[in-house]
Each structure stands twice: as C-alpha cells, then as structure tokens.
C-alpha cells in the first residue's frame, strides 16, 4: 500500500472503515496502481479478501504485491485470500461439464442474462467461518475490473445487478467493503460504460479517479488523482468533499503533491 | 421549497454524483410524516437500515417500507423477495395505500427505470394516482404525492422527458462551494411554470434549512438535456441587417458580375477622371535599354 495515499484518505489498516463501496476509475491513464494499493492495504488490515482478477495473472499481482510488502501466495495458502484468476479460469469454462456451475459461466452461454454464478462464487468465498475463531477482520471484495465484463458481452444493468447483490451481502449483511475498478473511456457514445460508471458512482462512498494530464505525457507527473467523498444517505457537514492531487509512480511507492508542486518543478 | 412541500402529484428529485438527493428525499419524507400523512417507501438502492438512519423512532414507526434492496431479482430463492419483481412491488405498493393524504417515496426511480421499460414505469405511476383517487373519493392531485429520486447522469433525454411530462414538480439539485441549491420547476395546468432557485441544507436530524435565493454569479449548472442558451445572443458584432442595409446590399453590383450595362460602360470611354500615370525616377544603378527592356533580367 502507499502510505501517502493513506494520508490523503485519512485512513490506516488499523482504522479501515466497514460497509463501504469504493469506486476506482481511470481516464486516459492506467489506474491499476490503485488496485494494488487496496489489495495490499486490506491484506495488511487482516481482512479476508476475495479478488476477482480478470485482467492480469496471479503472478503479476504477486510480484507487485511483494514490492508493497505482501505475499499473495502466503495469503492464499493460509486462506486469507481467495483469488479468481480470470485469464486461467476462462479457459476452464470450456473444458468442464456444462452442468457444473462456474463463476465465469456467462462466457459459455449465448444469452447470459446475469452474473448470478459470479455472485454465488463471491458469496461462498467470503462466507463467515463457523469454527469459532474470528480469523479475519471483515470481508473485502476487490474487482479488477468491471469494464471488461461489458467487453465480454454482459450488459451494464447485469453488472450493476451483480454489484448490487455483492453490496447487499458483503457491505450490508457482513459489514465488509467492496473496491471495484471501472475504466472511463471518455467516449460519450459508449452508453453501457457510462451507465455502469455513473450507476456505481451514485452508490459509492468514495470515488478515486485517476486521470492523465490534459497536456499529455510527462516524465515527472504521471497523472492526477481526484478524490470524492460521498455519503449517499446522510446529510453531510461542511468538510472537504473533493480533493485533487497529482502523482508520480515509482518502483515501490507513489508520491502525491498538490497541482503544480512536483519536486521536479520546484 | 415551501411550495414544493405543499404540492402534490409526481415530484422528481434530480440529483447528481456530486450533489446527492437522498438526504433531501428523507427530509421531505420526515416533513410528510410529521404532517400526519401515510408514508410508503420503495427502497431499492440502499438497505432499509441505512435508509431509516437519521429518523427518530416516532417517524420510523409511521414509515411503511418495501425492501427491494436485499433480493430484488429473487436470486436467493428464499421466498422472502417481493413477488412480481420490481414492477410487481411497485404495483402492490399502489394497492396498499389507504384513503387520505399519502406520500410515496421511490428510492430510486433511476433503479426502476434501468430495469423496467419506461412505458411500463410511466403507466404504473399514472395508475398509482388513478387508484388512489378511486379509493379516496377526492382528486388524486390533492391526496397523493410521489417523490421520485432520479440520477440525472444515468438516463437519456427520452426517458427523462417522459418522466418530466408526468411530473408536477422538478427539483434539480446542484450547488457551489459546498452549499447545495435546488432549482425548482413547478408545472401548473394552463399557467407558465414558475422557476425558483433556493439554497438549502439538510440538518443531521433531517430537517430542512432553507436559505433563500443564490447570489447572482452562482447559478446551477444547466441540465445537459435542456436546450442551450442561444449562442448568438451576446455578440460584439452585428449578424443581422436592417431593411435599409438589406436593400443597399441587394442593389449592389458585384465587381465580377458582367452585365450589359457594364459592357457598354467598358466599351465607351466615358468622360471620367483622367487615366492614371506612372512616374518613374530611375536609380543610378538602373541600366535601361529602351530596345531591350528585359535585358537586365537574368532569364
């Protein structure tokens, strides 16, 4: 995890809030550093994590995780991490009997209407352990990323329904958290992606939006991060609801600074 | 905003990601409950526990809550889901309102509009007021208030326009510098809809604090689906011609427009001004050869 980002969000692994949906969004840049941050954050917070990883392999996340101080291999072996490797399992779908349920079953069906099998997988993965030991702090669902489900043929409402049921189970029933990444292509004609992004934005308690600089690529400033705190149900008191910082990604950390205050410029 | 609280019919609360509308919805629910009305809530987007948070126990006991959040599509198959799915739940709610003043809150209309055909949803909303009028013995316009929360980024102009045509009041939420504002449009039959903009805040106990109109320089952002301001309204140059200017323009002969009058004028040397002459003073370096005037050109 990135300590500077924790400072901006005013949180630490010990004081992680519960019952929240965090939306990660990237536009004209790669926001995957945020996924790696939250993965290592919640593993260090001793939470049980179900990671639906549809974009990269397990070893990719593991290599980055090790730079951030967590071992996904150890976490998986001790039962803290349930890892759905989308790239590998998507092939398994076609080589097993059709009657056996699979979380990515929709890949096989011509007219898959919903993501209920994927939801059932998440629900089972984050089921509370009944052996009397409170091993983990709270369940966390991490998804990288939801936009690829649209590319794989699911409709925006089907993905929203999947997150709806995950919120009902993970956030409300089990007081856990959800973190999901959605890409913003900036294409106003991509109605499905816009419905997904806006629909999730309205349900989120925290939105982190990584954007490329409007002036283009820069060696010392890799993008800017906009943080929006929301309270979807409660009236807010006056406080900073939105902050914007620029950032530079380094090998093992990300440094954040106010706009125009990059150390390279000062 | 007081006028909003007094009106009946469909009231659209149009919020955005930056300016959420659920707290205003809850404040209006509290006002209705304190006024002795029945209050029915169809909760789709947040849990019942989260929605009821902030209401005191006397208000909570007056709220009739239909929970469409926990299992809206009956995936759990426990038999606890509301029968008929979202549309069935909406129709069932219409049938259970008692005669008399009632406020129905839909949290949210956007959730329903994404999952139901727009026509079916509009028909259900119309049927709601008809059924209530049949039961109550009084015109539904005075008895029934339907508060619908609508997230304006989610829908295109078609569904939004359809719901707007059914609505008696539209409240568009915005704000600036941390202060929320409400842009209120009331539709009354055969009258020009009045516009009103108010600053407001919802206090932690869900009561409304109204603060009058906004300063001139901070107007709410226009909705992207409403017609934009005329772009030629504040130009520093004139795009239009007066009658005299237009006549002068029409009677003007263009220089390359060849007419018979022009031809005659060119063929007939007129008593015009003397032809122009060119006076040339050669430099010291000029080498003029009258027999070969182009001799100095290196061609």
């Amino acid at each position: 995890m990135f300590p500077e980002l924790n400072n901006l969000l005013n949180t630490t692994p010990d004081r992680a809030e519960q019952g929240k949906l965090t939306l990660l969004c990237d536009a004209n840049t790669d926001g995957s550093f945020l996924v790696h941050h939250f993965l290592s954050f919640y593993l260090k917070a001793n939470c049980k994590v179900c990671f639906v990883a549809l974009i990269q392999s397990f070893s990719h996340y593991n290599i980055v995780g090790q730079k951030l101080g967590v071992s996904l291999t150890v976490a998986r072996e001790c039962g803290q991490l349930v890892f759905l490797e989308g790239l590998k399992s998507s092939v398994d779908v076609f080589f097993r009997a059709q009657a056996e349920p699979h979380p990515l079953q929709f890949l096989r069906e011509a007219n898959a209407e919903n993501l209920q099998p994927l939801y059932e997988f998440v629900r089972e993965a984050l089921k509370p352990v009944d052996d009397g030991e409170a091993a983990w702090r709270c369940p966390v669902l991490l998804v990288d990323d939801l936009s690829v489900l649209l590319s794989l043929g699911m409709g925006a409402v089907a993905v929203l329904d999947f997150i709806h049921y995950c919120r009902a189970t993970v956030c409300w029933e089990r007081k856990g958290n959800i973190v999901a990444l959605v890409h913003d292509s900036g294409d106003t004609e991509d109605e499905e992606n816009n419905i997904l992004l806006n629909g999730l934005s309205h349900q989120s308690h925290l939105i982190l939006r990584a954007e490329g600089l409007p002036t283009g690529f820069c060696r010392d400033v890799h993008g800017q991060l906009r943080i929006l705190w929301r309270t979807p149900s409660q009236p807010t008191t006056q406080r900073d609801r939105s902050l914007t910082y620029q950032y530079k990604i380094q090998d093992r950390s990300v440094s954040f600074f106010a706009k125009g205050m990059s150390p390279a410029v000062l | 905003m007081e006028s909003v609280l007094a009106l009946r019919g469909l009231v659209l609360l149009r919020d955005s990601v930056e300016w959420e509308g659920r707290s205003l919805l809850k404040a209006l629910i509290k006002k209705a409950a304190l006024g002795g009305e029945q209050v029915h809530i169809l909760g789709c987007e947040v849990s019942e526990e989260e929605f009821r948070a902030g209401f005191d126990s006397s208000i909570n006991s007056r709220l009739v809550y239909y929970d469409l959040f926990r299992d809206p599509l009956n995936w759990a198959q426990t038999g606890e889901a509301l029968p008929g799915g979202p549309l069935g739940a909406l129709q069932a709610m219409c049938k259970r309102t008692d005669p008399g003043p009632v406020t129905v809150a839909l949290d949210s209309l956007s959730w329903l509009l994404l999952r139901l055909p727009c026509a079916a949803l509009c028909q259900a909303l119309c049927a709601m007021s008809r059924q209530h009028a049949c039961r109550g013995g009084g015109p539904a316009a005075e008895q029934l208030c339907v508060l619908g929360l609508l997230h304006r980024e989610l829908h295109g102009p078609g569904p939004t326009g359809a719901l707007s045509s059914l609505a008696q009041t539209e409240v568009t939420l915005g704000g600036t510098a941390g202060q929320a504002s409400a842009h209120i449009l009331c539709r009354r039959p055969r009258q020009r809809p009045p516009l009103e903009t108010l600053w407001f805040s919802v206090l932690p106990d869900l009561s409304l604090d109204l603060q009058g109109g906004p300063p001139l320089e901070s107007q709410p952002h226009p909705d992207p689906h409403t017609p934009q301001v005329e772009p030629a309204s504040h130009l520093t140059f004139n795009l239009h011609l007066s009658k005299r200017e237009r006549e002068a323009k029409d009677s003007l002969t263009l220089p390359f427009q060849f007419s018979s009058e022009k031809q005659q004028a060119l063929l007939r040397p007129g008593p015009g001004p003397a032809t122009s002459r060119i006076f040339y003073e050669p430099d010291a370096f000029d080498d003029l050869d009258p027999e070969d005037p182009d001799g100095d050109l290196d061609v």
Side-chain angles (χ1 to χ4, degrees):
Chain A
M1 65 182 186
F2 308 122
E4 285 191 41
L5 183 53
N6 285 343
N7 292 339
L8 296 183
L9 299 177
N10 194 25
T11 184
T12 60
D14 304 326
R15 294 189 287 120
E17 290 185 301
Q18 292 182 230
K20 304 295 181 191
L21 169 62
T22 298
L23 177 64
L24 311 177
C25 172
D26 58 15
N28 293 326
T29 192
D30 181 9
S32 57
F33 71 97
L34 296 170
V35 174
H36 295 298
H37 165 80
F38 281 102
L39 176 59
S40 58
F41 177 89
Y42 282 116
L43 287 176
K44 287 189 179 181
N46 208 34
C47 295
K48 174 132 189 204
V49 177
C50 174
F51 189 7
V52 176
L54 303 174
I55 301 297
Q56 299 283 4
S57 65
F58 177 84
S59 59
H60 170 86
Y61 293 105
N62 195 25
I63 288 168
V64 178
Q66 281 170 0
K67 291 186 181 181
L68 302 184
V70 292
S71 168
L72 301 197
T73 312
V74 169
R76 187 165 62 173
E77 282 167 3
C78 71
Q80 186 186 11
L81 174 66
V82 176
F83 193 98
L84 175 64
E85 189 170 355
L87 292 173
K88 205 159 85 167
S89 342
S90 57
V91 180
D92 291 341
V93 171
F94 298 97
F95 292 108
R96 56 200 290 174
Q98 202 158 358
E100 290 179 38
H102 190 282
L104 303 182
Q105 204 164 302
F106 66 92
L107 292 173
R108 194 169 175 164
E109 294 166 0
N111 296 312
E113 289 182 355
N114 59 51
L115 291 165
Q116 186 176 354
L118 186 59
Y119 159 71
E120 300 289 352
F121 169 82
V122 170
R123 192 175 63 128
E124 194 60 31
L126 294 177
K127 202 164 56 172
V129 183
D130 275 336
D131 58 4
E133 296 174 9
W136 314 114
R137 195 156 144 223
C138 68
V140 173
L141 168 64
L142 187 59
V143 185
D144 181 21
D145 59 59
L146 289 174
S147 296
V148 76
L149 294 173
L150 299 180
S151 305
L152 291 170
M154 297 308 298
V157 177
V159 182
L160 286 174
D161 286 340
F162 162 68
I163 291 293
H164 179 111
Y165 269 86
C166 289
R167 277 175 55 226
T169 303
V170 177
C171 293
W172 173 68
E173 194 182 311
R174 298 179 188 166
K175 305 291 183 277
N177 295 324
I178 298 178
V179 181
L181 175 67
V182 177
H183 298 300
D184 183 2
S185 59
D187 180 6
T188 50
E189 293 184 359
D190 190 351
E191 289 182 16
E192 291 282 290
N193 199 65
N194 291 337
I195 289 172
L196 177 62
L197 183 59
N198 290 319
L200 285 181
S201 298
H202 275 279
Q203 298 168 18
S204 302
H205 299 87
L206 176 65
I207 301 175
L208 300 182
R209 185 181 165 90
E211 299 168 341
L213 295 178
T215 44
F217 177 74
C218 173
R219 190 187 61 187
D220 297 302
V221 180
H222 292 159
Q224 68 185 25
L225 183 71
R226 187 158 168 260
I227 307 170
L228 178 64
W229 285 274
R230 299 183 76 251
T231 49
S233 299
Q234 300 306 322
T236 54
T237 54
Q238 283 294 104
R239 63 169 180 177
D240 284 334
R241 299 171 72 212
S242 173
L243 295 174
T244 304
Y245 290 91
Q246 292 179 337
Y247 62 86
K248 178 178 180 182
I249 301 175
Q250 286 139 357
D251 186 43
R252 290 173 187 269
S253 66
V254 177
S255 57
F256 293 88
F257 35 87
K259 279 183 174 183
M261 302 292 277
S262 162
V265 171
L266 294 174
Chain B
M1 191 77 76
E2 296 299 336
S3 57
V4 171
L5 303 176
L7 278 181
R8 312 306 286 173
L10 177 61
V11 179
L12 293 183
L13 301 180
R14 293 151 46 88
D15 72 351
S16 64
V17 173
E18 299 253 355
W19 299 98
E20 61 85 22
R22 188 166 290 112
S23 50
L24 176 60
L25 176 69
K26 289 168 72 166
L28 294 175
I29 286 171
K30 176 178 174 175
K31 171 93 179 167
L34 287 175
E37 294 184 24
Q38 314 165 55
V39 180
H40 295 250
I41 300 162
L42 183 63
C44 312
E45 287 196 355
V46 297
S47 66
E48 181 174 356
E49 184 186 315
E50 189 175 339
F51 194 90
R52 286 182 181 271
F55 292 119
D56 58 36
S57 52
S58 61
I59 303 278
N60 263 322
S61 59
R62 302 184 64 95
L63 305 182
V64 181
Y65 198 92
Y66 303 81
D67 185 3
L68 206 54
F69 172 75
R70 208 176 338 168
D71 189 9
L73 307 175
N74 199 23
W75 284 5
Q77 306 263 330
T78 55
E80 291 176 8
L82 294 175
L87 188 59
L90 185 61
Q91 290 164 342
M93 193 170 68
C94 303
K95 290 178 185 146
R96 282 193 211 133
T97 57
D98 296 326
V102 62
T103 291
V104 171
L106 303 176
D107 179 22
S108 63
L109 260 181
S110 286
W111 194 98
L112 295 169
L113 196 52
L114 284 177
R115 289 157 182 85
L116 300 175
C118 181
L121 179 59
C122 292
Q123 284 166 2
L125 291 172
C126 290
M128 199 186 289
S129 60
R130 269 201 314 272
Q131 285 169 8
H132 192 72
C134 291
R135 274 199 297 281
E142 294 168 16
Q143 300 289 321
L144 176 68
C145 174
V146 180
L147 301 171
L149 184 61
L150 196 67
H151 307 311
R152 44 182 205 262
E153 303 98 336
L154 283 182
H155 311 290
T160 311
L163 288 171
S164 294
S165 66
L166 292 180
Q168 273 69 48
T169 309
E170 285 185 57
V171 181
T172 304
L173 300 180
T176 183
Q179 180 63 49
S181 67
H183 192 63
I184 305 164
L185 174 67
C186 295
R187 286 197 174 83
R188 295 196 187 96
R190 293 180 296 278
Q191 290 180 27
R192 193 159 160 250
L195 297 170
E196 200 178 353
T197 302
L198 295 173
W199 294 113
F200 74 96
S201 55
V202 180
L203 303 175
D205 66 349
L206 296 174
S207 42
L208 265 179
D209 179 23
L210 304 173
Q211 285 135 32
L216 282 172
E217 64 272 9
S218 32
Q219 296 298 324
H221 296 294
D223 185 271
H225 298 305
T226 56
Q228 296 294 326
V229 174
E230 171 60 44
S233 56
H234 299 294
L235 294 174
T236 55
F237 52 88
N238 192 11
L239 274 183
H240 305 286
L241 296 173
S242 67
K243 186 165 176 254
R244 200 165 66 84
E245 287 168 339
R246 192 170 293 113
E247 283 169 5
K249 182 189 164 199
D250 289 339
S251 62
L252 184 67
T253 307
L254 294 173
F256 302 108
Q257 200 173 346
F258 200 73
S259 62
S260 57
E261 291 86 4
K262 196 159 185 175
Q263 185 184 20
Q264 293 304 317
L266 287 171
L267 290 174
R268 189 175 52 241
T275 56
S276 57
R277 290 185 185 173
I278 297 174
F279 295 93
Y280 173 60
E281 287 286 340
D283 285 339
F285 306 105
D286 279 339
D287 182 16
L288 285 178
D289 183 358
E291 292 181 10
D292 185 7
D294 293 328
D296 60 331
L297 295 177
D298 187 16
V299 179

